[in-house]
């Protein structure tokens, strides 16, 4: 792990960071275990998480969820994109499997290199586009293996595209000084709306089975609210670069968990593993490029 700028992080913080990433990978396993459709599943996840977050804000001294109408609507709109992303994420698992879903999601770096400059109005960076070409090579290898699951794979890639969009808009509200907890709470409203509408339009079953309730409680309480609280706590002592570097392990942890808990390794071959390795490598390269560009910017500002 690289050194953090404030040197306050301890080895326990690094263990907690990787525990957070492991929880993110475990959400895919839970999506496979829950019998509900993707739309119903995410409706419960976001709805319960939103209630918990607003309760958290209400009970926290000095915090308030009251904000002006325009930014509130903007955060809810961003939540609509987040909801569509999660629809694709869990929809891909239902259409294919956990491993194929997480591999498609690893293409986020490609879409970030294209979309972030458009949203933030910064110049395109040639190095990031080169990373995008590496991602395309990895995706091609995985798709050649997963051709029987091509729809699930393409849905996961669409989810990665959406995942590259909503963080850029979320960052705009963070830069304007809004609390991360408040932003996320409003975004959960938007995510719940889009998923609930989708579930109703498709006629999906909304009421979980008795077994589903346990997995939904873990997904919403542990993997969403608790994981978010842990991540915010770690950001007080760690740089964004350190956390981004660790998040590159999410598909690795998720695929290992799927092999262990769901025996998905029996369905995979060398093309899948090699393509996944290329995607994770591209993600590492992209993270290091971002860190180098930030260092240059800081050096130029200081100069």
């Amino acid at each position: 792990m690289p050194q953090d700028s404030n040197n306050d992080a301890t080895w326990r913080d690094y263990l907690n960071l990787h525990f957070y990433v492991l929880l993110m990978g475990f959400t895919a396993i839970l999506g496979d275990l829950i019998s509900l459709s993707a739309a119903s599943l995410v409706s419960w996840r976001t709805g319960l998480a939103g209630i918990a977050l607003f309760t958290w804000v209400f009970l926290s001294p000095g915090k308030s969820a009251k904000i002006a109408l325009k930014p509130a609507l903007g955060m809810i709109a961003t939540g609509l994109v987040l909801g569509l992303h999660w629809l694709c994420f869990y929809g891909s698992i239902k259409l294919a499997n956990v491993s194929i879903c997480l591999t498609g999601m690893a293409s986020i770096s490609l879409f970030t290199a294209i979309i972030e400059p458009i949203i933030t109005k910064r110049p395109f960076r040639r190095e990031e586009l080169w990373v995008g070409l590496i991602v395309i090579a990895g995706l091609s290898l995985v798709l050649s293996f997963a051709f029987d699951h091509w729809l699930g794979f393409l849905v996961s890639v669409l989810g990665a595209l959406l995942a590259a969009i909503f963080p850029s808009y979320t960052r705009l509200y963070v830069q304007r000084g809004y609390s991360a907890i408040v932003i996320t709470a409003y975004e959960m409203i938007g995510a719940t709306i889009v998923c609930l509408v989708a579930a109703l339009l498709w006629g999906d079953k909304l009421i979980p089975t008795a077994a589903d309730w346990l997995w939904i409680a873990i997904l919403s309480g542990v993997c969403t609210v608790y994981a978010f609280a842990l991540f915010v706590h770690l950001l007080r002592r760690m740089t964004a670069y350190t956390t981004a570097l660790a998040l590159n392990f999410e598909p690795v942890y998720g695929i290992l968990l799927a092999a262990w808990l769901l025996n998905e390794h029996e369905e995979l071959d060398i093309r899948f593993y090699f393509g996944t390795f290329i995607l994770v490598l591209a993600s590492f390269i992209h993270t290091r490029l971002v860190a180098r560009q930030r260092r240059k910017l800081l050096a130029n500002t200081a100069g």
Side-chain angles (χ1 to χ4, degrees):
M1 279 287 186
Q3 284 292 108
D4 291 283
S5 58
N6 51 12
N7 295 317
D8 289 334
T10 67
W11 64 271
R12 286 190 180 86
D13 291 324
Y14 291 117
L15 286 178
N16 281 327
L17 176 59
H18 279 271
F19 179 61
Y20 166 78
V21 177
L22 186 65
L23 287 177
M24 293 299 97
F26 190 58
T27 61
I29 305 297
L30 293 171
D32 188 71
L33 293 173
I34 296 170
S35 66
L36 295 175
S37 69
S40 298
L41 185 161
V42 183
S43 296
W44 281 105
R45 177 185 185 177
T46 55
L48 292 174
I51 291 170
L53 285 167
F54 275 110
T55 303
W56 182 1
V57 173
F58 179 76
L59 296 176
S60 298
K63 291 188 180 293
S64 173
K66 281 188 174 182
I67 59 175
L69 180 61
K70 185 175 180 180
L73 292 176
M75 293 172 195
I76 292 172
T78 304
L80 297 177
V81 180
L82 173 61
L84 291 172
H85 157 69
W86 274 337
L87 277 179
C88 291
F89 181 83
Y90 291 108
S92 172
I93 293 171
K94 303 294 183 181
L95 290 167
N97 58 42
V98 171
S99 300
I100 288 173
C101 168
L102 289 171
T103 302
M105 288 292 170
S107 61
I108 289 174
S109 58
L110 165 63
F111 295 119
T112 301
I114 298 170
I115 290 171
E116 188 178 25
I118 296 173
I119 294 175
T120 62
K121 296 181 170 46
R122 69 163 173 82
F124 284 92
R125 291 164 181 152
R126 185 174 54 187
E127 298 91 342
E128 292 183 350
L129 295 176
W130 279 113
V131 172
L133 292 177
I134 297 174
V135 169
I136 291 172
L139 290 174
S140 300
L141 267 176
V142 175
L143 186 56
S144 70
F145 156 75
F147 193 74
D148 290 342
H149 300 295
W150 65 270
L151 181 58
F153 183 68
L154 291 181
V155 168
S156 72
V157 173
L158 175 59
L161 170 61
L162 293 166
I165 294 173
F166 74 80
S168 297
Y169 284 107
T170 299
R171 193 175 299 118
L172 294 178
Y173 291 108
V174 172
Q175 290 171 345
R176 292 173 190 171
Y178 293 100
S179 163
I181 298 174
V182 171
I183 294 170
T184 306
Y186 278 99
E187 287 179 347
M188 289 297 162
I189 295 175
T192 303
I193 290 171
V194 71
C195 294
L196 193 56
V197 169
L200 292 173
L201 288 177
W202 295 335
D204 294 342
K205 181 183 75 171
L206 286 171
I207 306 303
T209 64
D212 286 337
W213 279 114
L214 172 62
W215 305 128
I216 289 172
I218 294 172
L219 178 62
S220 182
V222 178
C223 296
T224 306
V225 177
Y226 169 75
F228 172 77
L230 177 63
F231 188 61
V232 171
H233 173 74
L234 291 172
L235 283 176
R236 294 172 184 169
R237 293 195 292 272
M238 290 183 167
T239 62
Y241 170 62
T242 297
T243 57
L245 191 62
L247 284 168
N248 290 325
F249 284 93
E250 182 183 346
V252 178
Y253 290 158
I255 289 168
L256 290 175
L257 285 169
W260 175 40
L261 298 173
L262 305 175
N263 294 319
E264 286 191 1
H265 62 284
E266 297 174 359
E267 307 172 27
L268 310 177
D269 71 8
I270 190 64
R271 288 171 296 171
F272 173 83
Y273 289 114
F274 190 52
T276 301
F277 170 76
I278 291 174
L279 288 168
V280 173
L281 177 64
S283 190
F284 270 104
I285 294 172
H286 179 256
T287 306
R288 290 191 176 276
L289 284 174
V290 170
R292 189 176 70 179
Q293 287 153 3
R294 284 177 178 169
R295 285 195 298 270
K296 282 183 179 178
L297 182 61
L298 288 172
N300 292 336
T301 305

